[in-house]
Amino acid sequence: MGVSAANTHDSRCLESLVQAIPAVKSRRGPRRRRPDKLHADKGYDYPHLRRMLRQRGIRPRIARRGIESASRLGRHRWVIERTFAW
């Protein structure tokens, strides 16, 4: 988790946040160094962020502004926001 100024857009912090993800523990085989995919809302729909994720081998699942509804990502987002509420 990272801390930024209150008026900083979330998309500016995504790259440092992805870099700070620790190795994923697994029962078998080597530890994975990154997640398979990243789910995000329309606030993260920028070509440079998609490019950065693809270069790291992470599939971006980001709702596109003006094209897609964010409701497709809702089932994953609800789990995350529910966890924060606890």
Side-chain angles (χ1 to χ4, degrees):
M1 183 183 302
V3 179
S4 65
N7 58 352
T8 302
H9 196 271
D10 292 339
S11 66
R12 295 190 177 268
C13 302
L14 181 65
E15 188 170 0
S16 61
L17 186 63
V18 169
Q19 288 176 355
I21 295 173
V24 178
K25 294 181 182 179
S26 61
R27 294 179 187 245
R28 296 184 197 157
R31 292 181 175 193
R32 292 187 341 207
R33 294 284 177 200
R34 60 185 173 272
D36 292 329
K37 56 187 169 180
L38 181 127
H39 292 265
D41 60 10
K42 295 178 184 184
Y44 296 93
D45 184 28
Y46 293 100
H48 69 278
L49 293 177
R50 289 180 182 271
R51 194 175 322 114
M52 180 267 304
L53 291 170
R54 285 190 189 108
Q55 287 173 350
R56 295 179 180 279
I58 302 171
R59 284 181 289 161
R61 288 286 299 126
I62 303 171
R64 293 177 289 176
R65 289 177 283 167
I67 298 174
E68 287 184 81
S69 167
S71 63
R72 287 180 44 194
L73 299 172
R75 62 187 165 141
H76 300 287
R77 183 181 176 131
W78 184 82
V79 173
I80 294 166
E81 292 191 6
R82 179 195 62 198
T83 304
F84 286 156
W86 286 349

